[in-house]
Coordinates of all heavy atoms in Angstrom, one line a residue:
M1 N 61.3 -33.8 -61.6 CA 62.0 -34.8 -62.3 C 63.3 -34.1 -62.8 O 63.2 -33.1 -63.5 CB 61.3 -35.3 -63.5 CG 62.1 -36.2 -64.5 SD 61.0 -36.7 -65.8 CE 62.1 -36.3 -67.2
T2 N 64.5 -34.5 -62.5 CA 65.7 -34.0 -62.8 C 66.3 -34.7 -64.1 O 66.4 -36.0 -63.9 CB 66.7 -34.0 -61.8 OG1 66.2 -33.3 -60.6 CG2 68.1 -33.5 -62.2
P3 N 66.4 -34.2 -65.2 CA 67.0 -34.9 -66.3 C 68.3 -35.5 -66.1 O 69.1 -34.8 -65.5 CB 67.0 -33.8 -67.4 CG 66.2 -32.7 -66.9 CD 66.2 -32.7 -65.5
Q4 N 68.6 -36.6 -66.6 CA 69.9 -37.3 -66.5 C 70.7 -37.1 -67.6 O 70.1 -37.0 -68.8 CB 69.7 -38.7 -66.2 CG 68.8 -39.1 -65.0 CD 69.5 -38.7 -63.8 OE1 70.8 -38.8 -63.6 NE2 68.7 -38.1 -62.8
P5 N 72.0 -36.7 -67.5 CA 72.9 -36.7 -68.7 C 72.9 -37.9 -69.6 O 72.9 -39.0 -69.0 CB 74.1 -36.3 -68.1 CG 74.1 -36.2 -66.7 CD 72.7 -36.7 -66.3
R6 N 72.9 -37.6 -70.8 CA 73.2 -38.7 -71.8 C 74.5 -39.3 -71.7 O 75.5 -38.5 -71.2 CB 72.9 -38.2 -73.3 CG 71.5 -37.7 -73.5 CD 71.4 -37.2 -74.9 NE 70.6 -36.0 -74.7 CZ 70.8 -34.8 -75.3 NH1 71.7 -34.7 -76.2 NH2 70.1 -33.7 -75.0
S7 N 74.7 -40.6 -72.0 CA 76.1 -41.1 -71.9 C 77.0 -40.3 -72.8 O 76.8 -40.1 -73.9 CB 76.1 -42.6 -72.1 OG 75.1 -43.1 -73.0
G8 N 78.2 -40.0 -72.2 CA 79.1 -39.2 -72.9 C 78.8 -37.7 -73.1 O 79.5 -37.0 -73.8
D9 N 77.8 -37.3 -72.5 CA 77.3 -35.9 -72.7 C 77.1 -35.3 -71.4 O 76.4 -35.8 -70.5 CB 76.0 -35.9 -73.5 CG 75.6 -34.5 -73.9 OD1 76.2 -33.5 -73.5 OD2 74.7 -34.3 -74.7
S10 N 77.8 -34.2 -71.0 CA 77.6 -33.6 -69.8 C 76.4 -32.7 -69.6 O 76.1 -32.4 -68.5 CB 78.9 -32.7 -69.5 OG 79.0 -31.6 -70.5
R11 N 75.8 -32.4 -70.8 CA 74.5 -31.7 -70.7 C 73.3 -32.5 -70.3 O 73.2 -33.7 -70.8 CB 74.2 -31.1 -72.0 CG 75.2 -30.1 -72.4 CD 74.9 -29.6 -73.8 NE 75.0 -30.7 -74.7 CZ 74.5 -30.8 -76.0 NH1 73.8 -29.7 -76.4 NH2 74.5 -31.8 -76.7
P12 N 72.5 -32.0 -69.4 CA 71.2 -32.9 -69.1 C 70.3 -32.9 -70.3 O 70.2 -31.9 -71.1 CB 70.6 -32.1 -67.9 CG 71.1 -30.7 -68.1 CD 72.5 -30.8 -68.7
S13 N 69.6 -34.0 -70.5 CA 68.6 -34.0 -71.6 C 67.4 -33.2 -71.2 O 67.1 -33.0 -70.1 CB 68.3 -35.5 -71.8 OG 67.6 -36.0 -70.7
K14 N 66.8 -32.8 -72.3 CA 65.5 -32.0 -72.1 C 64.4 -32.9 -71.7 O 64.2 -34.0 -72.3 CB 65.2 -31.2 -73.3 CG 66.2 -30.1 -73.7 CD 65.7 -29.4 -75.0 CE 66.8 -28.5 -75.5 NZ 66.5 -28.0 -76.8
P15 N 63.5 -32.6 -70.8 CA 62.4 -33.4 -70.5 C 61.4 -33.3 -71.7 O 61.3 -32.2 -72.3 CB 61.7 -32.6 -69.2 CG 62.3 -31.3 -69.2 CD 63.6 -31.4 -70.0
R16 N 60.9 -34.3 -72.1 CA 60.1 -34.3 -73.3 C 58.6 -33.8 -73.1 O 58.1 -33.1 -73.9 CB 60.0 -35.8 -73.8 CG 59.4 -36.0 -75.2 CD 59.9 -35.1 -76.2 NE 59.0 -35.2 -77.2 CZ 59.2 -35.2 -78.5 NH1 60.4 -35.1 -78.9 NH2 58.2 -35.3 -79.3
R17 N 58.0 -34.3 -72.1 CA 56.6 -33.7 -71.8 C 56.5 -33.5 -70.3 O 57.1 -34.1 -69.5 CB 55.6 -34.8 -72.2 CG 55.6 -35.2 -73.7 CD 54.5 -36.2 -74.0 NE 54.5 -36.6 -75.4 CZ 53.8 -36.1 -76.3 NH1 52.9 -35.1 -75.9 NH2 53.8 -36.5 -77.5
R18 N 55.6 -32.6 -70.1 CA 55.2 -32.3 -68.7 C 53.7 -32.8 -68.5 O 53.0 -33.1 -69.5 CB 55.2 -30.8 -68.5 CG 56.5 -30.3 -68.4 CD 56.6 -28.9 -68.0 NE 56.3 -28.0 -69.2 CZ 56.2 -26.7 -69.2 NH1 56.3 -26.0 -68.0 NH2 56.0 -26.1 -70.3
D19 N 53.4 -33.0 -67.3 CA 51.9 -33.5 -67.0 C 50.9 -32.5 -67.6 O 51.1 -31.3 -67.5 CB 51.7 -33.6 -65.6 CG 52.5 -34.9 -65.0 OD1 52.8 -35.6 -65.7 OD2 52.8 -34.7 -63.7
V20 N 50.0 -33.0 -68.3 CA 48.9 -32.2 -68.8 C 47.9 -32.1 -67.8 O 47.3 -33.1 -67.3 CB 48.4 -32.8 -70.2 CG1 47.2 -31.9 -70.7 CG2 49.4 -32.9 -71.2
V21 N 47.5 -30.9 -67.4 CA 46.5 -30.7 -66.3 C 45.3 -30.0 -66.9 O 45.3 -28.7 -67.2 CB 47.2 -29.9 -65.1 CG1 46.1 -29.7 -64.0 CG2 48.5 -30.6 -64.7
E22 N 44.3 -30.7 -67.1 CA 43.0 -30.1 -67.5 C 43.0 -29.2 -68.7 O 42.3 -28.2 -68.7 CB 42.4 -29.3 -66.3 CG 42.2 -30.2 -65.0 CD 41.7 -29.4 -63.9 OE1 41.8 -28.1 -63.8 OE2 41.2 -29.9 -62.9
N23 N 43.9 -29.5 -69.7 CA 44.0 -28.6 -70.9 C 42.7 -28.6 -71.6 O 42.3 -27.5 -72.2 CB 45.2 -29.0 -71.7 CG 46.5 -28.4 -71.2 OD1 46.5 -27.6 -70.3 ND2 47.6 -29.0 -71.7
D24 N 42.0 -29.7 -71.8 CA 40.8 -29.7 -72.6 C 39.8 -28.9 -71.9 O 39.0 -28.1 -72.5 CB 40.3 -31.1 -72.8 CG 41.1 -32.0 -73.6 OD1 41.9 -31.3 -74.5 OD2 41.0 -33.1 -73.6
E25 N 39.6 -29.1 -70.6 CA 38.6 -28.2 -69.9 C 39.0 -26.7 -69.8 O 38.1 -25.9 -69.9 CB 38.5 -28.7 -68.4 CG 37.9 -30.1 -68.2 CD 39.1 -31.2 -68.3 OE1 40.2 -30.9 -68.6 OE2 38.7 -32.4 -68.1
Y26 N 40.3 -26.4 -69.7 CA 40.7 -25.0 -69.8 C 40.4 -24.4 -71.1 O 39.9 -23.3 -71.1 CB 42.1 -25.0 -69.3 CG 42.6 -23.5 -69.1 CD1 42.3 -22.9 -67.9 CD2 43.3 -22.8 -70.1 CE1 42.7 -21.6 -67.6 CE2 43.7 -21.5 -69.8 CZ 43.4 -21.0 -68.6 OH 43.9 -19.7 -68.4
A27 N 40.7 -25.2 -72.1 CA 40.5 -24.5 -73.5 C 39.0 -24.4 -73.7 O 38.5 -23.3 -74.3 CB 41.0 -25.5 -74.6
A28 N 38.2 -25.3 -73.3 CA 36.7 -25.1 -73.4 C 36.2 -23.9 -72.6 O 35.3 -23.2 -73.0 CB 35.9 -26.3 -72.9
F29 N 36.7 -23.7 -71.4 CA 36.4 -22.5 -70.6 C 36.8 -21.2 -71.3 O 35.9 -20.3 -71.4 CB 37.0 -22.6 -69.2 CG 37.0 -21.4 -68.3 CD1 35.7 -21.1 -67.7 CD2 38.2 -20.6 -68.1 CE1 35.6 -19.9 -66.9 CE2 38.1 -19.6 -67.3 CZ 36.8 -19.2 -66.7
V30 N 37.9 -21.1 -71.8 CA 38.4 -20.0 -72.6 C 37.4 -19.7 -73.8 O 37.1 -18.5 -74.0 CB 39.9 -20.1 -73.0 CG1 40.4 -19.0 -74.0 CG2 40.7 -20.1 -71.9
K31 N 37.1 -20.7 -74.5 CA 36.2 -20.5 -75.6 C 34.8 -20.0 -75.2 O 34.2 -19.1 -75.8 CB 35.9 -21.9 -76.3 CG 37.1 -22.4 -77.1 CD 36.9 -23.8 -77.7 CE 38.1 -24.4 -78.3 NZ 37.9 -25.7 -78.8
R32 N 34.3 -20.5 -74.1 CA 33.1 -20.0 -73.5 C 33.2 -18.5 -73.2 O 32.2 -17.7 -73.4 CB 32.6 -20.8 -72.3 CG 32.0 -22.1 -72.6 CD 31.3 -22.8 -71.4 NE 32.1 -22.9 -70.2 CZ 33.0 -23.9 -69.9 NH1 33.1 -24.8 -70.8 NH2 33.6 -23.8 -68.7
I33 N 34.3 -18.1 -72.6 CA 34.4 -16.7 -72.3 C 34.5 -15.9 -73.4 O 33.8 -14.8 -73.6 CB 35.8 -16.5 -71.5 CG1 35.6 -17.1 -70.1 CG2 36.0 -15.0 -71.4 CD1 36.9 -17.2 -69.3
I34 N 35.2 -16.3 -74.5 CA 35.3 -15.4 -75.8 C 33.9 -15.3 -76.4 O 33.6 -14.2 -76.8 CB 36.3 -16.1 -76.7 CG1 37.8 -16.0 -76.2 CG2 36.2 -15.4 -78.2 CD1 38.8 -16.7 -76.8
R35 N 33.2 -16.4 -76.5 CA 31.8 -16.4 -77.1 C 31.0 -15.4 -76.3 O 30.1 -14.7 -76.8 CB 31.3 -17.8 -77.2 CG 31.9 -18.6 -78.2 CD 31.4 -20.1 -78.4 NE 32.1 -20.8 -79.3 CZ 32.7 -22.0 -79.1 NH1 32.4 -22.5 -77.9 NH2 33.2 -22.7 -80.0
A36 N 31.0 -15.5 -74.9 CA 30.2 -14.8 -74.1 C 30.5 -13.2 -74.3 O 29.6 -12.4 -74.3 CB 30.3 -15.1 -72.6
Y37 N 31.7 -13.0 -74.4 CA 32.2 -11.6 -74.8 C 31.7 -11.1 -76.1 O 31.2 -10.0 -76.2 CB 33.7 -11.5 -74.6 CG 34.3 -10.2 -74.6 CD1 33.7 -9.1 -73.9 CD2 35.5 -9.9 -75.3 CE1 34.3 -7.9 -73.8 CE2 36.2 -8.7 -75.2 CZ 35.6 -7.7 -74.4 OH 36.1 -6.5 -74.4
A38 N 31.7 -12.0 -77.1 CA 31.2 -11.6 -78.4 C 29.7 -11.3 -78.3 O 29.2 -10.4 -78.9 CB 31.4 -12.6 -79.4
R39 N 29.0 -12.1 -77.6 CA 27.4 -11.9 -77.4 C 27.2 -10.6 -76.7 O 26.3 -9.9 -77.0 CB 26.8 -13.1 -76.6 CG 26.7 -14.3 -77.5 CD 25.8 -15.3 -76.7 NE 26.3 -15.8 -75.4 CZ 27.2 -16.7 -75.2 NH1 27.7 -17.4 -76.2 NH2 27.5 -17.0 -74.0
R40 N 28.0 -10.2 -75.6 CA 27.9 -9.0 -74.9 C 28.1 -7.8 -75.9 O 27.3 -6.9 -76.0 CB 28.9 -8.9 -73.8 CG 28.7 -7.6 -73.1 CD 29.7 -7.6 -71.9 NE 29.7 -6.3 -71.2 CZ 30.2 -6.0 -70.1 NH1 30.8 -7.0 -69.5 NH2 30.1 -4.8 -69.7
I41 N 29.1 -7.9 -76.7 CA 29.4 -6.8 -77.7 C 28.3 -6.7 -78.7 O 27.8 -5.6 -79.0 CB 30.7 -7.0 -78.4 CG1 31.9 -6.9 -77.4 CG2 30.9 -6.1 -79.6 CD1 33.2 -7.4 -77.8
A42 N 27.7 -7.9 -79.1 CA 26.7 -7.9 -80.1 C 25.5 -7.2 -79.6 O 24.6 -6.8 -80.5 CB 26.4 -9.3 -80.6
T43 N 25.2 -7.1 -78.4 CA 24.0 -6.6 -77.8 C 24.1 -5.0 -77.8 O 23.2 -4.3 -77.2 CB 23.7 -7.0 -76.4 OG1 24.7 -6.8 -75.5 CG2 23.4 -8.6 -76.5
G44 N 25.2 -4.5 -78.3 CA 25.3 -3.0 -78.3 C 26.5 -2.4 -77.6 O 26.6 -1.2 -77.5
D45 N 27.4 -3.2 -77.1 CA 28.5 -2.6 -76.5 C 29.8 -2.3 -77.5 O 30.8 -3.0 -77.5 CB 29.1 -3.6 -75.4 CG 30.1 -3.0 -74.5 OD1 30.5 -1.8 -74.7 OD2 30.6 -3.7 -73.6
V46 N 29.4 -1.4 -78.4 CA 30.4 -1.1 -79.5 C 31.8 -0.6 -79.0 O 32.7 -1.0 -79.7 CB 29.8 -0.1 -80.4 CG1 29.7 1.3 -79.9 CG2 30.5 -0.1 -81.8
E47 N 31.9 -0.1 -77.8 CA 33.2 0.3 -77.3 C 34.1 -0.8 -77.1 O 35.4 -0.7 -77.1 CB 33.0 1.3 -76.0 CG 32.2 2.5 -76.3 CD 32.8 3.4 -77.3 OE1 34.1 3.5 -77.4 OE2 32.1 4.0 -78.1
A48 N 33.5 -2.0 -76.7 CA 34.4 -3.1 -76.3 C 34.9 -3.8 -77.6 O 35.8 -4.8 -77.4 CB 33.6 -4.1 -75.4
L49 N 34.4 -3.5 -78.8 CA 34.8 -4.2 -80.0 C 36.4 -4.0 -80.2 O 37.0 -4.9 -80.6 CB 34.1 -3.6 -81.2 CG 34.3 -4.3 -82.5 CD1 34.0 -5.8 -82.4 CD2 33.4 -3.7 -83.6
T50 N 36.8 -2.8 -79.9 CA 38.3 -2.6 -80.1 C 39.1 -3.5 -79.1 O 40.1 -4.0 -79.5 CB 38.5 -1.1 -79.7 OG1 37.8 -0.3 -80.6 CG2 40.1 -0.8 -79.9
D51 N 38.6 -3.6 -77.9 CA 39.3 -4.6 -77.0 C 39.3 -6.0 -77.5 O 40.3 -6.7 -77.3 CB 38.6 -4.5 -75.6 CG 38.9 -3.1 -74.9 OD1 39.8 -2.5 -75.3 OD2 38.0 -2.8 -74.1
M52 N 38.2 -6.3 -78.0 CA 38.1 -7.8 -78.5 C 39.0 -7.9 -79.7 O 39.7 -9.1 -79.7 CB 36.7 -8.1 -78.9 CG 36.5 -9.6 -79.3 SD 34.8 -10.0 -79.5 CE 34.8 -11.7 -79.0
V53 N 39.1 -7.0 -80.5 CA 40.0 -7.1 -81.7 C 41.5 -7.2 -81.2 O 42.3 -8.0 -81.7 CB 39.9 -6.0 -82.7 CG1 41.0 -6.0 -83.7 CG2 38.6 -6.1 -83.4
G54 N 41.8 -6.5 -80.1 CA 43.1 -6.5 -79.5 C 43.4 -7.9 -79.0 O 44.6 -8.2 -78.8
L55 N 42.5 -8.7 -78.6 CA 42.7 -10.0 -78.1 C 43.4 -10.9 -79.2 O 44.1 -11.8 -78.9 CB 41.4 -10.6 -77.7 CG 40.8 -10.1 -76.4 CD1 39.5 -10.7 -76.1 CD2 41.7 -10.2 -75.2
S56 N 43.0 -10.5 -80.4 CA 43.7 -11.3 -81.5 C 45.3 -11.3 -81.5 O 45.9 -12.4 -81.6 CB 43.1 -10.8 -82.8 OG 43.8 -11.4 -83.9
S57 N 45.8 -10.0 -81.4 CA 47.3 -10.0 -81.3 C 47.8 -10.7 -80.0 O 48.9 -11.3 -80.1 CB 47.8 -8.5 -81.4 OG 47.3 -7.8 -80.3
L58 N 47.1 -10.5 -78.9 CA 47.5 -11.2 -77.7 C 47.5 -12.7 -77.8 O 48.4 -13.4 -77.4 CB 46.5 -10.9 -76.5 CG 46.9 -11.4 -75.2 CD1 48.1 -10.9 -74.7 CD2 45.8 -11.1 -74.2
L59 N 46.4 -13.2 -78.5 CA 46.4 -14.7 -78.8 C 47.6 -15.1 -79.7 O 48.2 -16.2 -79.5 CB 45.1 -15.0 -79.5 CG 44.9 -16.5 -79.8 CD1 45.1 -17.3 -78.5 CD2 43.5 -16.8 -80.4
D60 N 48.0 -14.3 -80.7 CA 49.1 -14.7 -81.6 C 50.4 -14.7 -80.7 O 51.2 -15.7 -81.0 CB 49.2 -13.6 -82.7 CG 48.2 -13.8 -83.8 OD1 47.6 -14.9 -83.9 OD2 48.0 -12.8 -84.5
E61 N 50.5 -13.8 -79.8 CA 51.7 -13.8 -79.0 C 51.7 -15.0 -78.1 O 52.8 -15.6 -77.9 CB 51.8 -12.5 -78.2 CG 52.0 -11.2 -78.9 CD 51.8 -10.0 -78.1 OE1 51.6 -10.1 -76.7 OE2 51.7 -8.9 -78.6
A62 N 50.6 -15.4 -77.6 CA 50.5 -16.5 -76.8 C 50.8 -17.8 -77.5 O 51.5 -18.7 -76.9 CB 49.1 -16.6 -76.1
I63 N 50.4 -17.9 -78.7 CA 50.7 -19.0 -79.5 C 52.2 -19.1 -79.8 O 52.8 -20.2 -79.7 CB 49.9 -19.1 -80.8 CG1 48.4 -19.2 -80.6 CG2 50.4 -20.1 -81.9 CD1 47.5 -18.9 -81.8
T64 N 52.9 -18.1 -80.1 CA 54.2 -18.0 -80.3 C 55.0 -18.5 -79.1 O 56.0 -19.3 -79.2 CB 54.7 -16.5 -80.7 OG1 54.0 -16.2 -81.9 CG2 56.1 -16.5 -80.9
E65 N 54.6 -18.0 -77.9 CA 55.1 -18.5 -76.6 C 55.0 -19.9 -76.5 O 55.9 -20.6 -76.1 CB 54.6 -17.7 -75.5 CG 55.1 -18.0 -74.2 CD 54.5 -17.2 -73.0 OE1 54.0 -16.1 -73.3 OE2 54.6 -17.8 -71.9
A66 N 53.8 -20.4 -76.8 CA 53.5 -21.9 -76.6 C 54.4 -22.7 -77.6 O 55.0 -23.7 -77.1 CB 52.1 -22.2 -76.8
V67 N 54.6 -22.2 -78.8 CA 55.4 -23.1 -79.8 C 56.8 -23.0 -79.3 O 57.5 -24.1 -79.4 CB 55.2 -22.4 -81.2 CG1 56.2 -23.0 -82.2 CG2 53.9 -22.7 -81.7
K68 N 57.3 -21.9 -78.9 CA 58.7 -21.8 -78.3 C 58.9 -22.7 -77.2 O 60.0 -23.3 -77.1 CB 59.1 -20.3 -78.0 CG 59.3 -19.5 -79.2 CD 59.6 -18.0 -78.8 CE 59.9 -17.2 -80.0 NZ 60.2 -15.8 -79.5
G69 N 57.9 -22.8 -76.4 CA 58.0 -23.6 -75.2 C 58.0 -25.1 -75.6 O 58.9 -25.9 -75.1
L70 N 57.2 -25.5 -76.6 CA 57.1 -26.9 -77.1 C 58.5 -27.2 -77.7 O 59.0 -28.4 -77.5 CB 56.1 -27.0 -78.1 CG 54.7 -27.1 -77.5 CD1 53.6 -27.0 -78.7 CD2 54.4 -28.3 -76.6
R71 N 59.2 -26.3 -78.4 CA 60.4 -26.5 -79.1 C 61.4 -26.7 -78.1 O 62.3 -27.6 -78.1 CB 60.7 -25.4 -80.0 CG 59.9 -25.2 -81.3 CD 60.3 -26.2 -82.3 NE 61.6 -26.1 -82.7 CZ 62.4 -27.0 -83.1 NH1 62.0 -28.3 -83.1 NH2 63.6 -26.8 -83.6
A72 N 61.4 -25.8 -76.9 CA 62.3 -26.0 -75.9 C 62.2 -27.3 -75.1 O 63.2 -27.8 -74.5 CB 62.2 -24.8 -74.9
H73 N 61.1 -28.0 -75.2 CA 60.8 -29.3 -74.6 C 61.1 -30.4 -75.6 O 60.7 -31.5 -75.3 CB 59.4 -29.4 -73.9 CG 59.5 -28.7 -72.6 ND1 59.2 -27.4 -72.4 CD2 59.6 -29.2 -71.3 CE1 59.2 -27.1 -71.2 NE2 59.5 -28.2 -70.6
G74 N 61.7 -30.1 -76.7 CA 62.1 -31.1 -77.6 C 61.1 -31.5 -78.7 O 61.3 -32.5 -79.4
Y75 N 60.0 -30.8 -78.8 CA 59.1 -31.2 -80.0 C 59.7 -30.7 -81.3 O 60.3 -29.6 -81.4 CB 57.8 -30.5 -79.7 CG 56.9 -31.2 -78.7 CD1 57.1 -30.9 -77.2 CD2 56.0 -32.3 -79.0 CE1 56.4 -31.6 -76.3 CE2 55.4 -33.0 -78.1 CZ 55.5 -32.6 -76.7 OH 54.8 -33.2 -75.7
S76 N 59.5 -31.5 -82.3 CA 60.0 -31.1 -83.6 C 59.0 -30.1 -84.3 O 57.9 -30.2 -84.0 CB 60.3 -32.4 -84.5 OG 59.0 -32.9 -84.8
W77 N 59.5 -29.5 -85.4 CA 58.5 -28.7 -86.2 C 57.4 -29.7 -86.8 O 56.3 -29.3 -86.9 CB 59.3 -28.0 -87.2 CG 60.1 -26.8 -86.7 CD1 61.5 -26.6 -86.7 CD2 59.5 -25.6 -86.1 NE1 61.8 -25.5 -86.0 CE2 60.6 -24.8 -85.7 CE3 58.3 -25.2 -85.9 CZ2 60.5 -23.6 -85.0 CZ3 58.1 -24.0 -85.2 CH2 59.1 -23.3 -84.8
A78 N 57.9 -30.8 -87.2 CA 56.9 -31.7 -87.8 C 55.8 -32.2 -86.9 O 54.7 -32.2 -87.2 CB 57.7 -33.0 -88.3
E79 N 56.2 -32.4 -85.6 CA 55.2 -32.8 -84.5 C 54.2 -31.6 -84.3 O 53.0 -31.7 -84.1 CB 55.9 -33.1 -83.2 CG 56.6 -34.4 -83.3 CD 57.4 -34.7 -82.0 OE1 58.2 -33.9 -81.7 OE2 57.1 -35.7 -81.4
I80 N 54.7 -30.3 -84.2 CA 53.9 -29.2 -84.0 C 53.0 -29.0 -85.2 O 51.8 -28.7 -85.0 CB 54.8 -28.0 -83.7 CG1 55.6 -28.1 -82.3 CG2 54.0 -26.6 -83.7 CD1 56.7 -27.2 -82.1
A81 N 53.6 -29.0 -86.4 CA 52.8 -28.7 -87.6 C 51.7 -29.8 -87.7 O 50.6 -29.5 -88.2 CB 53.8 -28.7 -88.7
D82 N 52.1 -31.0 -87.4 CA 51.0 -32.1 -87.5 C 49.8 -31.8 -86.7 O 48.6 -31.9 -87.2 CB 51.6 -33.5 -87.1 CG 50.6 -34.6 -87.3 OD1 50.2 -34.8 -88.4 OD2 50.4 -35.3 -86.3
R83 N 50.0 -31.3 -85.5 CA 48.8 -31.0 -84.6 C 48.0 -29.8 -85.2 O 46.8 -29.7 -84.9 CB 49.2 -30.7 -83.2 CG 50.0 -31.7 -82.4 CD 49.5 -33.0 -82.5 NE 50.1 -33.9 -81.6 CZ 51.4 -34.5 -81.7 NH1 52.0 -34.2 -82.7 NH2 51.8 -35.4 -80.8
L84 N 48.6 -28.9 -86.0 CA 48.0 -27.8 -86.5 C 47.4 -28.0 -88.0 O 46.8 -27.1 -88.5 CB 48.9 -26.5 -86.5 CG 49.4 -26.1 -85.1 CD1 50.5 -25.1 -85.2 CD2 48.3 -25.8 -84.2
G85 N 47.9 -29.1 -88.5 CA 47.4 -29.4 -89.9 C 48.1 -28.5 -91.0 O 47.5 -28.2 -92.0
I86 N 49.4 -28.3 -90.7 CA 50.1 -27.4 -91.6 C 51.5 -28.2 -91.8 O 51.8 -29.1 -91.2 CB 50.4 -26.0 -91.2 CG1 51.3 -26.0 -89.8 CG2 49.1 -25.3 -91.0 CD1 51.5 -24.6 -89.3
T87 N 52.3 -27.8 -92.8 CA 53.5 -28.4 -93.1 C 54.5 -27.9 -92.0 O 54.4 -26.8 -91.4 CB 54.1 -28.0 -94.4 OG1 54.4 -26.6 -94.5 CG2 53.1 -28.5 -95.5
R88 N 55.6 -28.7 -91.9 CA 56.6 -28.3 -90.8 C 57.3 -27.0 -91.3 O 57.6 -26.2 -90.6 CB 57.6 -29.4 -90.6 CG 58.5 -29.8 -91.8 CD 59.4 -30.9 -91.4 NE 60.2 -31.4 -92.6 CZ 61.2 -30.7 -93.1 NH1 61.7 -29.7 -92.5 NH2 61.8 -31.2 -94.2
Q89 N 57.4 -26.9 -92.7 CA 58.1 -25.6 -93.2 C 57.2 -24.4 -92.9 O 57.7 -23.4 -92.5 CB 58.2 -25.8 -94.7 CG 59.3 -26.8 -95.1 CD 58.7 -28.2 -95.3 OE1 57.5 -28.5 -95.0 NE2 59.4 -29.2 -95.9
A90 N 55.9 -24.6 -93.0 CA 55.0 -23.5 -92.7 C 55.0 -23.1 -91.2 O 55.1 -21.9 -90.8 CB 53.6 -23.8 -93.1
A91 N 55.1 -24.0 -90.3 CA 55.2 -23.8 -88.9 C 56.6 -23.0 -88.5 O 56.6 -22.1 -87.9 CB 55.2 -25.2 -88.1
H92 N 57.7 -23.6 -89.1 CA 59.0 -23.1 -89.0 C 59.0 -21.6 -89.5 O 59.6 -20.7 -88.8 CB 60.0 -23.8 -89.7 CG 61.4 -23.5 -89.5 ND1 62.1 -22.5 -90.2 CD2 62.3 -23.8 -88.5 CE1 63.3 -22.3 -89.8 NE2 63.4 -23.1 -88.7
Q93 N 58.4 -21.4 -90.7 CA 58.4 -20.0 -91.2 C 57.6 -19.0 -90.3 O 58.0 -17.9 -90.0 CB 57.8 -20.0 -92.6 CG 57.9 -18.7 -93.3 CD 57.3 -18.8 -94.7 OE1 56.6 -19.7 -95.1 NE2 57.9 -17.9 -95.6
R94 N 56.4 -19.5 -89.8 CA 55.5 -18.6 -89.1 C 56.2 -18.3 -87.7 O 56.0 -17.2 -87.3 CB 54.2 -19.3 -88.9 CG 53.2 -18.5 -88.1 CD 51.8 -18.9 -88.1 NE 51.1 -17.9 -87.4 CZ 49.7 -18.2 -87.1 NH1 49.1 -19.2 -87.6 NH2 49.0 -17.3 -86.4
W95 N 56.8 -19.2 -87.0 CA 57.1 -19.0 -85.7 C 58.6 -18.8 -85.5 O 59.2 -18.9 -84.4 CB 56.7 -20.1 -84.7 CG 55.1 -19.9 -84.6 CD1 54.5 -18.9 -83.9 CD2 54.2 -20.8 -85.1 NE1 53.2 -19.1 -84.0 CE2 52.8 -20.2 -84.8 CE3 54.2 -21.9 -85.9 CZ2 51.6 -20.8 -85.2 CZ3 52.9 -22.5 -86.2 CH2 51.7 -21.9 -85.8
G96 N 59.4 -18.6 -86.5 CA 60.7 -18.1 -86.5 C 61.9 -19.1 -86.2 O 62.9 -18.5 -85.9
G97 N 61.7 -20.4 -86.4 CA 62.8 -21.2 -86.2 C 63.3 -21.2 -84.8 O 62.6 -21.0 -83.9
D98 N 64.5 -21.6 -84.7 CA 65.0 -21.8 -83.4 C 66.0 -20.6 -82.9 O 67.2 -20.7 -82.6 CB 66.1 -23.1 -83.4 CG 65.3 -24.4 -83.6 OD1 64.2 -24.5 -82.9 OD2 65.7 -25.2 -84.3
K99 N 65.3 -19.5 -83.0 CA 66.0 -18.3 -82.6 C 66.3 -18.2 -81.0 O 65.5 -18.7 -80.3 CB 65.2 -17.0 -82.9 CG 65.1 -16.8 -84.5 CD 64.3 -15.6 -84.8 CE 64.2 -15.5 -86.2 NZ 63.2 -14.5 -86.7

């Protein structure tokens, strides 16, 4: 889909949404993997604990990338915050505004 310019505006409008492909199933799959990894560590794989903790920062980076992508596709801070159960100000503060 090629965005069409707004009347009187030479810039193309941003596409609002993209097709959602199996996001619920994919999220459920990721949750199962994380839980399975935790069970494996809990059975005595203490060396893997450091790797699992490292996933936390990776997840934070991924969330930041997702929020920036949503902002680029026209979602407001209020829309993003509403999905997360926080205020728009809190979302804006956490993910850095429109840098």
